[in-house]
Amino acid sequence: MGSVGESDKYLLNRHKESHFTAGEIVRDIIIGVSDGLTVPFALAAGLSGANASSSIILTAGIAEVAAGAISMGLGGYLAAKSEADHYARELQREQEEIDTIPDTEAAEVAEILAEYGVEPHEYGPVVNALRKNPKAWLDFMMKFELGLEKPDPKRPLQSAFTIAVSYVLGGLVPLLPYMFIPVAQKAVVASVIVTILALLIFGFAKGYFTGSKPVWSALQTALIGAIASAAAFGMAKAVQG
């Protein structure tokens, strides 16, 4: 296939794209922090409702954070690994189809281009050019027929690490008051204040980076966390009663 012309290169160099490209990392951070803030928060509130001491709540909370980080990290690793395995299987299948039924695959290229409004006399040279470049042909079919992008081989470990660390950082927030306030009934009030504030800040940042309404995202995130902790606190009181 032909290379980009000099005039095109000049225009591309002048125009620098400013798209946000760290979507996967942000998604992992959102998953880790949101669960890290909410689950230990609800656990601590529930134990406070059962009149447990701050030391017990702190011990149980840290144990939950450790277990949750491992579990969430493993889940992120397996999810990313599954995506990579799926891509590899489809890549092999598509390569076999290009090798065994090239005319059918070429017809599929023509069909894809036609869906974009490209006329037969326009996409004919493109189809022929791709047939002369098997690697580009395979890449075209993966992207435009199957909608699959080649995954980063580092993605599974990166996802596991990001989610686990985010979970730990989020999970420590509601537990901080119990480290300094020995009376659980007082610590839970401080925990609620600190965690709701953290949820508001996190929700705002999440909305900002994901393109949602930041204020609405902040309120929604804080509300979910508040409902979870209130439910845990109320259930503990009900069981105790």
Side-chain angles (χ1 to χ4, degrees), residues 10-108:
Y10 174 74
L11 292 174
L12 290 172
N13 288 332
R14 287 188 60 189
H15 175 68
K16 298 298 182 182
E17 297 283 353
S18 58
H19 298 298
F20 185 70
T21 57
E24 291 182 336
I25 295 176
V26 170
R27 182 187 65 184
D28 290 341
I29 293 174
I30 289 173
I31 292 172
V33 174
S34 60
D35 278 15
L37 282 170
T38 306
V39 178
F41 183 33
L43 173 65
L47 291 174
S48 297
N51 293 326
S53 65
S54 285
S55 60
I56 292 177
I57 294 172
L58 185 58
T59 301
I62 291 176
E64 194 288 323
V65 169
I70 294 172
S71 176
M72 294 288 292
L74 180 60
Y77 176 86
L78 293 176
K81 190 68 168 58
S82 296
E83 290 181 4
D85 292 342
H86 174 66
Y87 182 89
R89 288 193 301 270
E90 292 300 323
L91 183 71
Q92 181 179 1
R93 183 181 304 169
E94 197 65 38
Q95 182 65 71
E96 290 174 355
E97 291 179 352
I98 289 175
D99 293 338
T100 57
I101 48 172
D103 292 339
T104 302
E105 291 298 293
E108 290 180 354

Coordinates of all heavy atoms in Angstrom, one line a residue, residues 10-108:
Y10 N 2.8 16.8 6.3 CA 2.9 18.2 6.8 C 1.6 18.6 7.6 O 1.7 19.2 8.7 CB 3.1 19.2 5.6 CG 3.1 20.6 6.0 CD1 4.1 21.2 6.7 CD2 1.9 21.4 5.7 CE1 4.1 22.6 7.0 CE2 1.9 22.8 6.1 CZ 3.0 23.3 6.7 OH 2.9 24.7 7.1
L11 N 0.5 18.2 7.0 CA -0.8 18.6 7.7 C -0.9 17.8 9.0 O -1.4 18.3 10.0 CB -2.0 18.2 6.8 CG -2.1 19.1 5.5 CD1 -3.2 18.6 4.6 CD2 -2.4 20.5 6.0
L12 N -0.5 16.5 9.0 CA -0.6 15.7 10.2 C 0.3 16.2 11.3 O 0.0 16.2 12.5 CB -0.2 14.2 9.9 CG -1.3 13.5 9.0 CD1 -0.7 12.1 8.6 CD2 -2.6 13.3 9.8
N13 N 1.5 16.7 10.9 CA 2.5 17.2 11.9 C 2.0 18.5 12.5 O 2.2 18.8 13.7 CB 3.8 17.4 11.2 CG 4.5 16.1 10.9 OD1 4.3 15.1 11.6 ND2 5.4 16.1 9.9
R14 N 1.2 19.3 11.7 CA 0.7 20.6 12.2 C -0.5 20.3 13.1 O -0.6 21.1 14.1 CB 0.2 21.4 11.0 CG 1.4 22.1 10.2 CD 0.8 23.1 9.2 NE 0.1 24.1 9.9 CZ -0.7 25.0 9.3 NH1 -0.8 25.0 8.0 NH2 -1.3 26.0 10.0
H15 N -1.2 19.3 12.9 CA -2.4 19.0 13.7 C -2.1 17.9 14.7 O -2.0 16.8 14.3 CB -3.6 18.6 12.8 CG -4.8 18.2 13.6 ND1 -5.5 19.1 14.3 CD2 -5.4 17.0 13.7 CE1 -6.6 18.5 14.9 NE2 -6.5 17.2 14.6
K16 N -2.0 18.3 16.0 CA -1.8 17.3 17.0 C -3.1 16.9 17.7 O -3.8 17.8 18.2 CB -0.8 17.8 18.0 CG 0.6 18.2 17.4 CD 1.3 16.9 16.9 CE 2.7 17.2 16.3 NZ 3.3 16.0 15.7
E17 N -3.4 15.7 17.7 CA -4.7 15.2 18.3 C -4.5 15.3 19.9 O -3.4 15.1 20.4 CB -4.9 13.8 17.9 CG -5.2 13.6 16.5 CD -6.6 14.0 16.0 OE1 -7.4 14.3 16.9 OE2 -6.9 14.0 14.8
S18 N -5.6 15.6 20.5 CA -5.6 15.7 22.0 C -6.6 14.8 22.6 O -7.2 15.1 23.6 CB -5.9 17.2 22.4 OG -7.2 17.6 21.9
H19 N -6.9 13.6 22.0 CA -7.8 12.7 22.5 C -7.3 12.0 23.8 O -6.0 11.8 23.9 CB -8.1 11.6 21.5 CG -8.8 12.1 20.2 ND1 -10.0 12.8 20.2 CD2 -8.3 12.1 18.9 CE1 -10.3 13.1 19.0 NE2 -9.3 12.8 18.2
F20 N -8.2 11.6 24.7 CA -7.8 11.0 25.9 C -7.6 9.5 25.6 O -8.5 8.8 25.1 CB -8.9 11.1 27.0 CG -8.5 10.5 28.3 CD1 -7.6 11.1 29.1 CD2 -9.2 9.4 28.7 CE1 -7.2 10.6 30.3 CE2 -8.8 8.9 30.0 CZ -7.9 9.5 30.8
T21 N -6.4 8.9 25.8 CA -6.0 7.6 25.4 C -5.8 6.6 26.5 O -5.3 5.5 26.3 CB -4.8 7.6 24.4 OG1 -3.7 8.2 25.1 CG2 -5.1 8.4 23.2
A22 N -6.0 7.1 27.8 CA -5.7 6.2 28.9 C -7.0 5.6 29.5 O -7.1 5.4 30.7 CB -5.0 7.0 30.0
G23 N -7.9 5.3 28.6 CA -9.2 4.8 29.0 C -9.2 3.5 29.9 O -9.9 3.4 30.8
E24 N -8.3 2.6 29.4 CA -8.3 1.3 30.2 C -7.7 1.5 31.6 O -8.2 0.8 32.5 CB -7.4 0.3 29.4 CG -8.1 -0.2 28.1 CD -7.2 -1.2 27.3 OE1 -6.0 -1.2 27.6 OE2 -7.8 -2.0 26.5
I25 N -6.7 2.3 31.7 CA -6.1 2.5 33.0 C -7.2 3.2 33.9 O -7.3 2.9 35.1 CB -4.8 3.4 32.9 CG1 -3.8 2.6 32.2 CG2 -4.3 3.8 34.3 CD1 -2.5 3.3 31.9
V26 N -7.8 4.2 33.4 CA -8.8 5.0 34.1 C -10.0 4.0 34.6 O -10.5 4.1 35.7 CB -9.4 6.1 33.3 CG1 -10.6 6.7 34.0 CG2 -8.3 7.2 33.1
R27 N -10.4 3.1 33.7 CA -11.4 2.2 34.0 C -11.0 1.3 35.2 O -11.8 1.0 36.1 CB -11.7 1.3 32.8 CG -12.8 0.3 33.0 CD -13.0 -0.7 31.8 NE -11.8 -1.5 31.7 CZ -11.6 -2.3 30.7 NH1 -12.5 -2.4 29.7 NH2 -10.5 -3.1 30.6
D28 N -9.7 0.8 35.1 CA -9.2 0.0 36.2 C -9.2 0.8 37.6 O -9.5 0.2 38.6 CB -7.8 -0.5 35.9 CG -7.8 -1.6 34.8 OD1 -8.9 -2.1 34.5 OD2 -6.8 -1.8 34.2
I29 N -8.8 2.0 37.5 CA -8.7 2.8 38.7 C -10.1 3.0 39.3 O -10.4 2.9 40.5 CB -8.1 4.2 38.4 CG1 -6.6 4.0 38.1 CG2 -8.2 5.1 39.6 CD1 -5.9 5.3 37.6
I30 N -11.1 3.3 38.4 CA -12.5 3.5 38.8 C -13.0 2.2 39.5 O -13.7 2.3 40.5 CB -13.4 3.8 37.6 CG1 -13.0 5.3 37.1 CG2 -14.9 3.7 37.9 CD1 -13.7 5.7 35.8
I31 N -12.7 1.0 38.9 CA -13.2 -0.2 39.4 C -12.6 -0.4 40.8 O -13.3 -0.7 41.8 CB -12.8 -1.4 38.5 CG1 -13.6 -1.3 37.2 CG2 -13.1 -2.7 39.2 CD1 -13.2 -2.3 36.2
G32 N -11.3 -0.2 40.9 CA -10.6 -0.5 42.2 C -11.0 0.5 43.3 O -11.3 0.1 44.4
V33 N -11.0 1.8 43.0 CA -11.3 2.8 44.0 C -12.7 2.8 44.4 O -13.1 2.9 45.6 CB -10.9 4.2 43.5 CG1 -11.4 5.3 44.5 CG2 -9.4 4.3 43.3
S34 N -13.7 2.6 43.5 CA -15.1 2.6 43.8 C -15.4 1.4 44.8 O -16.1 1.6 45.8 CB -16.0 2.5 42.6 OG -15.7 1.3 41.8
D35 N -14.9 0.2 44.5 CA -15.1 -0.9 45.4 C -14.4 -0.7 46.7 O -14.8 -1.1 47.7 CB -14.8 -2.2 44.7 CG -15.8 -2.7 43.7 OD1 -16.7 -1.9 43.4 OD2 -15.8 -3.9 43.3
G36 N -13.1 -0.2 46.6 CA -12.3 0.0 47.7 C -12.9 1.0 48.7 O -12.8 0.8 49.9
L37 N -13.6 2.0 48.2 CA -14.2 3.0 49.1 C -15.5 2.4 49.7 O -15.8 2.6 50.9 CB -14.5 4.2 48.3 CG -13.4 5.2 48.1 CD1 -13.8 6.3 47.1 CD2 -12.9 5.8 49.4
T38 N -16.3 1.7 48.9 CA -17.6 1.3 49.3 C -17.6 0.0 50.2 O -18.3 0.0 51.3 CB -18.5 1.0 48.1 OG1 -18.4 2.1 47.2 CG2 -19.9 0.7 48.5
V39 N -16.9 -1.0 49.9 CA -17.0 -2.3 50.6 C -16.4 -2.2 52.0 O -17.1 -2.5 53.0 CB -16.3 -3.4 49.8 CG1 -16.4 -4.7 50.6 CG2 -17.0 -3.6 48.5
P40 N -15.2 -1.7 52.2 CA -14.7 -1.6 53.6 C -15.5 -0.5 54.4 O -15.7 -0.7 55.6 CB -13.2 -1.1 53.4 CG -12.9 -1.6 52.0 CD -14.1 -1.4 51.2
F41 N -16.0 0.5 53.7 CA -16.9 1.5 54.4 C -18.1 0.8 54.9 O -18.5 1.0 56.1 CB -17.2 2.5 53.3 CG -18.1 3.7 53.9 CD1 -17.9 4.1 55.2 CD2 -19.0 4.3 53.1 CE1 -18.7 5.2 55.7 CE2 -19.8 5.4 53.5 CZ -19.6 5.8 54.8
A42 N -18.8 0.0 54.1 CA -20.0 -0.7 54.6 C -19.6 -1.7 55.7 O -20.4 -1.9 56.7 CB -20.6 -1.5 53.4
L43 N -18.5 -2.4 55.6 CA -18.1 -3.4 56.6 C -17.8 -2.7 57.9 O -18.3 -3.1 59.0 CB -16.8 -4.1 56.1 CG -16.1 -5.0 57.2 CD1 -17.1 -6.2 57.5 CD2 -14.8 -5.5 56.6
A44 N -17.1 -1.6 57.9 CA -16.8 -0.9 59.1 C -18.0 -0.3 59.7 O -18.2 -0.4 61.0 CB -15.8 0.3 58.8
A45 N -19.0 0.2 58.9 CA -20.2 0.7 59.4 C -21.0 -0.4 60.1 O -21.7 -0.2 61.1 CB -21.0 1.4 58.3
G46 N -21.1 -1.6 59.4 CA -21.8 -2.7 60.0 C -21.3 -3.2 61.3 O -22.0 -3.4 62.2
L47 N -19.9 -3.3 61.4 CA -19.3 -3.7 62.6 C -19.5 -2.6 63.7 O -19.7 -3.0 64.9 CB -17.8 -4.0 62.4 CG -17.5 -5.2 61.6 CD1 -16.0 -5.3 61.3 CD2 -18.0 -6.5 62.2
S48 N -19.5 -1.4 63.3 CA -19.8 -0.3 64.3 C -21.2 -0.4 64.8 O -21.5 -0.2 66.0 CB -19.6 1.1 63.7 OG -18.3 1.3 63.3
G49 N -22.1 -0.8 64.0 CA -23.5 -1.0 64.4 C -23.6 -2.2 65.3 O -24.6 -2.3 66.1
A50 N -22.7 -3.1 65.3 CA -22.7 -4.3 66.2 C -21.9 -4.0 67.4 O -21.6 -4.9 68.2 CB -22.1 -5.5 65.4
N51 N -21.5 -2.7 67.6 CA -20.8 -2.3 68.8 C -19.4 -3.0 69.0 O -18.9 -3.2 70.1 CB -21.6 -2.6 70.1 CG -22.9 -1.7 70.2 OD1 -22.8 -0.6 69.7 ND2 -23.9 -2.2 70.7
A52 N -18.8 -3.3 67.8 CA -17.4 -3.8 67.9 C -16.4 -2.7 68.2 O -16.7 -1.5 67.9 CB -17.1 -4.5 66.6
S53 N -15.3 -3.0 68.8 CA -14.3 -2.0 69.1 C -13.6 -1.5 67.9 O -13.6 -2.2 66.8 CB -13.3 -2.6 70.1 OG -12.6 -3.6 69.5
S54 N -12.9 -0.4 68.0 CA -12.2 0.2 66.8 C -11.1 -0.8 66.4 O -10.8 -0.9 65.2 CB -11.6 1.5 67.2 OG -12.6 2.5 67.2
S55 N -10.4 -1.5 67.3 CA -9.3 -2.4 67.0 C -9.8 -3.6 66.2 O -9.2 -4.0 65.2 CB -8.6 -2.8 68.2 OG -9.5 -3.5 69.1
I56 N -11.0 -4.1 66.6 CA -11.6 -5.2 65.8 C -12.0 -4.8 64.4 O -11.8 -5.5 63.5 CB -12.8 -5.8 66.6 CG1 -12.3 -6.5 67.9 CG2 -13.5 -6.8 65.7 CD1 -13.4 -7.0 68.8
I57 N -12.6 -3.6 64.4 CA -13.1 -3.1 63.1 C -11.9 -2.8 62.2 O -11.9 -3.2 61.0 CB -13.9 -1.8 63.3 CG1 -15.2 -2.1 64.0 CG2 -14.2 -1.1 61.9 CD1 -15.9 -0.8 64.4
L58 N -10.8 -2.3 62.7 CA -9.6 -2.0 61.9 C -9.0 -3.3 61.4 O -8.6 -3.4 60.3 CB -8.6 -1.2 62.8 CG -7.3 -0.7 62.1 CD1 -7.7 0.1 60.9 CD2 -6.4 0.0 63.0
T59 N -8.9 -4.3 62.3 CA -8.3 -5.6 61.9 C -9.1 -6.2 60.8 O -8.6 -6.7 59.8 CB -8.3 -6.5 63.1 OG1 -7.5 -5.9 64.2 CG2 -7.7 -7.9 62.7
A60 N -10.5 -6.3 61.0 CA -11.3 -6.9 60.0 C -11.3 -6.1 58.7 O -11.3 -6.6 57.6 CB -12.8 -6.9 60.5
G61 N -11.2 -4.7 58.8 CA -11.2 -3.9 57.6 C -9.9 -4.1 56.8 O -10.0 -4.2 55.6
I62 N -8.8 -4.2 57.5 CA -7.5 -4.4 56.8 C -7.5 -5.8 56.1 O -7.0 -5.9 55.0 CB -6.3 -4.2 57.8 CG1 -6.2 -2.8 58.2 CG2 -5.0 -4.7 57.1 CD1 -5.1 -2.5 59.2
A63 N -8.0 -6.8 56.8 CA -8.1 -8.1 56.3 C -9.0 -8.1 55.0 O -8.6 -8.7 54.0 CB -8.6 -9.1 57.3
E64 N -10.1 -7.4 55.1 CA -11.0 -7.3 53.9 C -10.3 -6.6 52.7 O -10.4 -7.0 51.6 CB -12.3 -6.6 54.3 CG -13.4 -6.7 53.3 CD -13.2 -5.9 52.0 OE1 -12.6 -4.8 52.1 OE2 -13.5 -6.4 50.9
V65 N -9.6 -5.5 53.1 CA -8.9 -4.7 52.0 C -7.8 -5.6 51.3 O -7.7 -5.6 50.1 CB -8.2 -3.5 52.6 CG1 -7.3 -2.8 51.6 CG2 -9.3 -2.5 53.0
A66 N -7.1 -6.4 52.1 CA -6.1 -7.3 51.5 C -6.7 -8.3 50.6 O -6.3 -8.6 49.5 CB -5.3 -7.9 52.6
A67 N -7.8 -9.0 51.2 CA -8.4 -10.0 50.4 C -9.1 -9.4 49.2 O -9.1 -10.0 48.1 CB -9.5 -10.7 51.3
G68 N -9.7 -8.3 49.3 CA -10.4 -7.6 48.2 C -9.5 -7.2 47.1 O -9.8 -7.4 45.9
A69 N -8.3 -6.7 47.5 CA -7.3 -6.3 46.5 C -6.8 -7.4 45.7 O -6.7 -7.4 44.5 CB -6.2 -5.6 47.2
I70 N -6.6 -8.6 46.4 CA -6.1 -9.8 45.7 C -7.2 -10.3 44.7 O -7.0 -10.6 43.6 CB -5.7 -10.9 46.7 CG1 -4.5 -10.4 47.5 CG2 -5.4 -12.2 46.0 CD1 -4.1 -11.3 48.6
S71 N -8.4 -10.3 45.2 CA -9.5 -10.9 44.5 C -9.8 -10.0 43.2 O -10.0 -10.4 42.1 CB -10.8 -11.0 45.3 OG -11.9 -11.4 44.6
M72 N -9.9 -8.7 43.5 CA -10.2 -7.7 42.4 C -9.0 -7.7 41.4 O -9.3 -7.7 40.2 CB -10.4 -6.3 42.9 CG -11.6 -6.2 43.8 SD -13.1 -6.2 42.9 CE -13.0 -4.7 42.0
G73 N -7.8 -7.7 41.9 CA -6.6 -7.8 41.0 C -6.6 -9.0 40.1 O -6.4 -9.0 38.9
L74 N -6.9 -10.2 40.7 CA -7.0 -11.4 40.0 C -8.1 -11.4 38.9 O -7.9 -11.8 37.8 CB -7.2 -12.6 40.9 CG -7.3 -14.0 40.3 CD1 -6.1 -14.3 39.6 CD2 -7.7 -15.0 41.3
G75 N -9.2 -10.8 39.3 CA -10.3 -10.6 38.3 C -9.9 -9.8 37.2 O -10.3 -10.1 36.0
G76 N -9.2 -8.7 37.4 CA -8.8 -7.8 36.3 C -7.8 -8.5 35.4 O -7.8 -8.4 34.2
Y77 N -6.9 -9.3 36.0 CA -5.9 -10.1 35.3 C -6.6 -11.1 34.3 O -6.3 -11.2 33.1 CB -5.0 -10.8 36.2 CG -4.0 -11.7 35.5 CD1 -2.8 -11.2 35.0 CD2 -4.2 -13.1 35.3 CE1 -1.9 -12.0 34.3 CE2 -3.3 -13.9 34.6 CZ -2.2 -13.4 34.1 OH -1.3 -14.2 33.5
L78 N -7.6 -11.9 34.9 CA -8.2 -12.9 34.1 C -9.1 -12.3 33.0 O -9.2 -12.8 31.9 CB -9.1 -13.7 35.0 CG -8.4 -14.6 36.1 CD1 -9.4 -15.3 37.0 CD2 -7.5 -15.6 35.4
A79 N -9.7 -11.1 33.3 CA -10.5 -10.5 32.3 C -9.6 -10.0 31.1 O -10.0 -10.2 29.9 CB -11.2 -9.3 32.9
A80 N -8.5 -9.4 31.4 CA -7.6 -8.9 30.3 C -7.0 -10.1 29.6 O -6.8 -10.1 28.4 CB -6.5 -8.0 31.0
K81 N -6.6 -11.2 30.3 CA -6.1 -12.4 29.7 C -7.1 -13.0 28.8 O -6.7 -13.5 27.7 CB -5.7 -13.4 30.8 CG -4.8 -14.6 30.3 CD -3.5 -14.1 29.8 CE -2.5 -15.3 29.6 NZ -3.1 -16.3 28.6
S82 N -8.3 -13.0 29.2 CA -9.4 -13.6 28.3 C -9.5 -12.8 27.0 O -9.7 -13.4 25.9 CB -10.7 -13.6 29.1 OG -10.7 -14.5 30.2
E83 N -9.4 -11.5 27.1 CA -9.5 -10.6 25.9 C -8.3 -10.9 25.0 O -8.5 -11.0 23.8 CB -9.5 -9.2 26.3 CG -10.8 -8.7 27.0 CD -10.7 -7.2 27.4 OE1 -9.7 -6.6 27.0 OE2 -11.6 -6.7 28.1
A84 N -7.2 -11.1 25.6 CA -6.0 -11.4 24.7 C -6.1 -12.8 24.1 O -5.7 -13.0 22.9 CB -4.7 -11.4 25.6
D85 N -6.6 -13.8 24.8 CA -6.8 -15.1 24.3 C -7.8 -15.1 23.2 O -7.7 -15.8 22.1 CB -7.2 -16.1 25.4 CG -6.1 -16.3 26.4 OD1 -4.9 -16.1 26.1 OD2 -6.4 -16.8 27.5
H86 N -8.9 -14.3 23.4 CA -9.9 -14.2 22.3 C -9.4 -13.6 21.1 O -9.7 -14.1 19.9 CB -11.1 -13.4 22.9 CG -12.2 -13.1 21.9 ND1 -13.0 -14.0 21.3 CD2 -12.5 -11.9 21.3 CE1 -13.8 -13.5 20.4 NE2 -13.5 -12.2 20.4
Y87 N -8.6 -12.6 21.2 CA -8.0 -11.9 20.0 C -7.1 -12.9 19.3 O -7.1 -13.0 18.1 CB -7.2 -10.7 20.5 CG -6.5 -9.9 19.3 CD1 -7.2 -8.9 18.7 CD2 -5.3 -10.2 18.9 CE1 -6.7 -8.2 17.6 CE2 -4.7 -9.6 17.8 CZ -5.4 -8.6 17.2 OH -4.8 -7.9 16.1
A88 N -6.3 -13.7 20.0 CA -5.4 -14.6 19.4 C -6.1 -15.7 18.6 O -5.7 -16.1 17.5 CB -4.5 -15.3 20.5
R89 N -7.2 -16.2 19.2 CA -8.0 -17.2 18.5 C -8.6 -16.6 17.2 O -8.6 -17.3 16.2 CB -9.2 -17.7 19.4 CG -8.7 -18.6 20.5 CD -9.8 -19.3 21.2 NE -10.8 -18.4 21.7 CZ -10.8 -17.9 23.0 NH1 -9.8 -18.3 23.8 NH2 -11.7 -17.1 23.4
E90 N -9.2 -15.4 17.3 CA -9.8 -14.8 16.1 C -8.8 -14.5 15.1 O -9.0 -14.5 13.9 CB -10.6 -13.5 16.5 CG -11.8 -13.8 17.4 CD -12.8 -14.7 16.7 OE1 -13.0 -14.6 15.4 OE2 -13.5 -15.5 17.3
L91 N -7.6 -14.1 15.5 CA -6.5 -13.7 14.6 C -6.1 -15.0 13.8 O -5.9 -14.9 12.5 CB -5.3 -13.2 15.3 CG -4.1 -12.8 14.5 CD1 -4.4 -11.5 13.8 CD2 -2.9 -12.5 15.4
Q92 N -6.0 -16.1 14.5 CA -5.6 -17.4 13.8 C -6.7 -17.8 12.8 O -6.4 -18.2 11.7 CB -5.4 -18.5 14.8 CG -5.0 -19.8 14.2 CD -4.7 -20.9 15.3 OE1 -4.9 -20.6 16.5 NE2 -4.3 -22.0 14.8
R93 N -8.0 -17.7 13.3 CA -9.1 -18.0 12.4 C -9.2 -17.2 11.2 O -9.4 -17.7 10.0 CB -10.4 -17.9 13.2 CG -11.6 -18.4 12.4 CD -12.9 -18.2 13.3 NE -12.7 -19.0 14.6 CZ -13.5 -18.8 15.6 NH1 -14.5 -18.0 15.6 NH2 -13.3 -19.5 16.7
E94 N -9.0 -15.9 11.3 CA -9.0 -14.9 10.2 C -7.9 -15.2 9.2 O -8.0 -15.1 8.0 CB -9.0 -13.5 10.7 CG -9.4 -12.5 9.7 CD -10.9 -12.6 9.3 OE1 -11.7 -12.9 10.2 OE2 -11.2 -12.5 8.1
Q95 N -6.7 -15.5 9.8 CA -5.5 -15.8 8.9 C -5.8 -17.1 8.1 O -5.5 -17.1 6.9 CB -4.3 -16.1 9.8 CG -3.0 -16.3 9.0 CD -2.6 -15.2 8.1 OE1 -2.1 -14.2 8.7 NE2 -2.7 -15.3 6.8
E96 N -6.4 -18.1 8.7 CA -6.8 -19.3 8.0 C -7.8 -19.0 6.9 O -7.6 -19.6 5.8 CB -7.3 -20.3 8.9 CG -6.3 -20.9 9.9 CD -6.9 -21.8 11.0 OE1 -8.1 -21.9 11.0 OE2 -6.2 -22.4 11.8
E97 N -8.7 -18.1 7.1 CA -9.7 -17.8 6.1 C -9.1 -17.1 4.9 O -9.4 -17.3 3.8 CB -10.8 -17.0 6.7 CG -11.7 -17.8 7.7 CD -12.8 -16.9 8.3 OE1 -12.8 -15.7 8.1 OE2 -13.7 -17.5 9.0
I98 N -8.1 -16.2 5.2 CA -7.4 -15.4 4.2 C -6.6 -16.4 3.3 O -6.5 -16.2 2.1 CB -6.5 -14.3 4.8 CG1 -7.4 -13.2 5.3 CG2 -5.6 -13.8 3.7 CD1 -6.6 -12.1 6.0
D99 N -6.0 -17.4 4.0 CA -5.2 -18.4 3.2 C -6.0 -19.3 2.4 O -5.6 -19.7 1.3 CB -4.3 -19.2 4.2 CG -3.3 -18.3 4.9 OD1 -2.9 -17.2 4.4 OD2 -2.8 -18.7 6.0
T100 N -7.2 -19.7 2.9 CA -8.0 -20.8 2.3 C -9.1 -20.3 1.4 O -9.4 -20.9 0.3 CB -8.6 -21.7 3.3 OG1 -9.4 -21.0 4.2 CG2 -7.5 -22.5 4.1
I101 N -9.7 -19.2 1.7 CA -10.8 -18.6 0.9 C -10.5 -17.1 0.6 O -11.3 -16.3 1.1 CB -12.2 -18.9 1.6 CG1 -12.1 -18.5 3.0 CG2 -12.6 -20.3 1.4 CD1 -13.5 -18.5 3.7
P102 N -9.4 -16.8 0.0 CA -9.1 -15.4 -0.2 C -10.1 -14.6 -1.0 O -10.4 -13.4 -0.7 CB -7.8 -15.4 -1.0 CG -7.8 -16.8 -1.7 CD -8.5 -17.7 -0.7
D103 N -10.8 -15.2 -2.0 CA -11.8 -14.5 -2.7 C -13.0 -14.1 -1.9 O -13.5 -13.0 -2.0 CB -12.3 -15.4 -3.9 CG -11.2 -15.6 -5.0 OD1 -10.3 -14.8 -5.0 OD2 -11.3 -16.6 -5.7
T104 N -13.4 -15.0 -1.0 CA -14.5 -14.7 -0.1 C -14.1 -13.5 0.9 O -14.9 -12.6 1.1 CB -14.9 -15.9 0.8 OG1 -15.3 -17.0 -0.1 CG2 -16.0 -15.6 1.7
E105 N -12.9 -13.6 1.4 CA -12.4 -12.5 2.3 C -12.3 -11.2 1.6 O -12.6 -10.1 2.1 CB -11.1 -12.9 2.9 CG -11.1 -14.1 3.9 CD -12.0 -13.8 5.1 OE1 -11.6 -12.9 5.9 OE2 -13.0 -14.4 5.2
A106 N -11.9 -11.2 0.3 CA -11.8 -10.0 -0.5 C -13.2 -9.4 -0.7 O -13.4 -8.2 -0.7 CB -11.1 -10.3 -1.9
A107 N -14.2 -10.3 -0.9 CA -15.6 -9.9 -1.1 C -16.1 -9.2 0.2 O -16.8 -8.2 0.2 CB -16.5 -11.0 -1.4
E108 N -15.6 -9.7 1.4 CA -16.0 -9.1 2.7 C -15.4 -7.7 2.8 O -16.0 -6.8 3.4 CB -15.5 -10.0 3.8 CG -16.3 -11.3 3.9 CD -15.9 -12.2 5.1 OE1 -14.9 -11.9 5.7 OE2 -16.5 -13.2 5.3

